[in-house]
Amino acid sequence: MSMRSAATEDRYAGFRVTPWVHHCGRFVARHRDFWIRLGEGETRLRADDIAETTIDRPIFVSGLARSGTTILLEVLARHRDVASHRYKDYPFLFTPFLWNRFLKYMPQKRGVAVERSHADGIAVSPDSPEAFEEVLWMAFFEGLHDPAVRNVLDAATDNPAFERFYGDHIRKLLTVRSRARYLAKANYNVTRLEYLLKVFPDARFVLPLRAPVGQIASLVKQHRLFCEGERRHPRALDHMRRIGHFEFGLDRRPVNVGDGAMDQVLAAWDRGAEAEGWAIYWASLHGYLADRLAANPALAAAVKVVRFEDLCNSPFEVLGEVCAHCRLPDSAHLVAEAAELMRMPSYYRPDFTEAELARIDTLAAPVARRFGYADAVGL
């Protein structure tokens, strides 16, 4: 292998899925009902352990990918009161007590942080926080990621089996971690905010968003990267499906908010108009969010909108506001540490044509202005 081909292969090394994760993840995904029953059995067996554990003001970070969700998750997860899912929790998420007991007796190797498959400079280890609760949602709801149907779960949604299992799961995770507050990054929760608020009336939501041009450029870059990574490492595609990660890659599935835009999004992508498709999608999803925040005062009070550009340009102030909104006391130290590392991305630049930029502005700028942006480019 030449030096150039070796370097190219290394670029996609993060898409390798170990045999352990592949085979165990496949087993769990194929037998979800069994794992639900096992999780329920664990809850009954450990009822005394979680009897005093309450779900207090759970924190949900949710937004369209490439808007800063991971950075916000990592900052909030450093707080001493907070528990979140970690990379090492997968694939046995359904049984936190059982799996963590198993891990306790396994030889402990210090996890080395490596750059994640997104190639965006974020290094992760087995102990890093990660978005995995989508596995639980997919076990209880059909059609969550079918772009042909409306993917919204709102205050009218009723699924007692899920709500009971989900609540017990959170209490078990809090007990295992010896923490008081639950934190989840779940991008798809953008269309479930009102349902979550019904289930957890004291929930706190952090909603990052980004000016269309910058976000679409990042999404296009990630889609190309994931498509090639999944072609080179086919197990990665199976893994993405099992964990509910459809934002980009060979099985890309946009979220349908029921406004009729989905046919236009898919048609644009089918004819190779990537930027146009993403612009329609950006406007559809964020238009839905703007409408719901305007219509529901209780939701608006529970949501903290975080513009990516403000986060990068004024990190100390914005992170302080986020921690205050989430009711996380004594956060000054972690805010100061995180703020020192926050910068606007410099590893890529948008390379849209003038026609593409004009099309993005036409399609997305009206919605962008509802969130304080002057146009599709930014503030």
Side-chain angles (χ1 to χ4, degrees):
M1 182 181 290
S2 68
M3 291 182 64
R4 182 173 181 177
S5 61
T8 301
E9 178 62 24
D10 285 344
R11 182 185 182 192
Y12 301 101
F15 289 91
R16 294 192 183 98
V17 179
T18 65
W20 161 264
V21 170
H22 175 68
H23 292 298
C24 291
R26 180 175 60 184
F27 175 71
V28 172
R30 287 181 175 178
H31 303 283
R32 286 176 177 169
D33 290 345
F34 166 77
W35 285 96
I36 290 172
R37 292 195 300 271
L38 193 60
E40 291 170 339
E42 179 186 72
T43 299
R44 290 191 294 270
L45 286 172
R46 305 304 295 265
D48 290 343
D49 297 301
I50 64 175
E52 302 300 321
T53 303
T54 60
I55 302 175
D56 174 32
R57 296 164 296 171
I59 303 166
F60 298 95
V61 178
S62 184
L64 183 61
R66 314 309 300 164
S67 60
T69 53
T70 298
I71 291 297
L72 288 165
L73 170 70
E74 292 200 337
V75 172
L76 294 172
R78 295 173 191 167
H79 194 279
R80 65 172 187 269
D81 293 341
V82 165
S84 64
H85 288 110
R86 302 173 183 173
Y87 275 87
K88 66 183 181 183
D89 290 327
Y90 183 81
F92 300 111
L93 271 79
F94 290 86
T95 52
F97 277 114
L98 181 63
W99 179 232
N100 278 272
R101 175 177 283 274
F102 176 79
L103 290 177
K104 182 179 179 181
Y105 292 102
M106 289 292 290
Q108 296 297 306
K109 295 181 180 180
R110 185 172 180 82
V112 178
V114 297
E115 187 176 29
R116 62 181 187 158
S117 56
H118 300 67
D120 56 4
I122 297 177
V124 296
S125 75
D127 288 306
S128 296
E130 177 55 330
F132 278 130
E133 72 164 47
E134 194 64 20
V135 174
L136 306 180
W137 288 85
M138 292 191 302
F140 285 88
F141 291 91
E142 295 293 332
L144 281 181
H145 301 290
D146 181 356
V149 301
R150 186 171 181 262
N151 305 138
V152 174
L153 303 179
D154 55 23
T157 302
D158 186 42
N159 191 329
F162 168 74
E163 293 159 21
R164 181 174 58 254
F165 189 95
Y166 187 42
D168 288 338
H169 177 82
I170 292 174
R171 293 195 296 145
K172 288 189 289 186
L173 192 68
L174 292 173
T175 303
V176 166
R177 300 276 197 265
S178 299
R179 302 293 175 87
R181 303 281 303 280
Y182 176 65
L183 166 67
K185 170 199 164 186
N187 289 349
Y188 295 111
N189 281 349
V190 291
T191 54
R192 307 168 191 165
L193 300 180
E194 287 170 297
Y195 178 46
L196 284 166
L197 191 62
K198 183 182 77 168
V199 177
F200 306 113
D202 61 351
R204 312 304 292 170
F205 301 102
V206 180
L207 177 61
L209 56 87
R210 187 173 181 180
V213 167
Q215 186 159 17
I216 293 169
S218 186
L219 287 164
V220 169
K221 172 186 177 295
Q222 288 300 317
H223 181 60
R224 291 170 180 165
L225 176 67
F226 270 65
C227 284
E228 184 60 27
E230 289 167 358
R231 290 190 190 101
R232 291 170 179 265
H233 301 283
R235 285 180 177 177
L237 177 57
D238 294 331
H239 180 69
M240 292 297 111
R241 287 169 171 161
R242 290 168 189 156
I243 65 175
H245 190 330
F246 302 101
E247 288 96 336
F248 21 73
L250 295 177
D251 194 12
R252 173 174 58 178
R253 305 183 198 179
V255 176
N256 186 340
V257 300
D259 61 353
M262 198 48 49
D263 288 345
Q264 300 174 53
V265 173
L266 297 176
W269 286 343
D270 284 344
R271 66 173 187 271
E274 282 290 309
E276 179 176 334
W278 281 115
I280 299 169
Y281 184 28
W282 193 100
S284 170
L285 186 62
H286 292 91
Y288 160 81
L289 289 169
D291 289 345
R292 296 319 307 153
L293 291 172
N296 189 337
L299 179 65
V303 168
K304 170 65 177 176
V305 174
V306 179
R307 293 188 303 198
F308 180 81
E309 297 77 13
D310 294 335
L311 177 63
C312 293
N313 294 324
S314 303
F316 187 85
E317 294 81 0
V318 172
L319 290 175
E321 292 171 0
V322 169
C323 289
H325 174 77
C326 294
R327 309 294 192 264
L328 292 174
D330 305 320
S331 301
H333 182 65
L334 74 87
V335 166
E337 285 185 344
E340 285 295 318
L341 304 175
M342 207 74 68
R343 300 288 186 276
M344 286 291 289
S346 59
Y347 57 91
Y348 70 94
R349 288 286 186 273
D351 59 354
F352 299 123
T353 65
E354 289 298 323
E356 287 175 323
L357 287 172
R359 189 67 175 142
I360 293 172
D361 193 67
T362 297
L363 294 167
V367 175
R369 284 193 284 271
R370 298 180 70 180
F371 288 99
Y373 291 106
D375 51 32
V377 175
L379 300 173

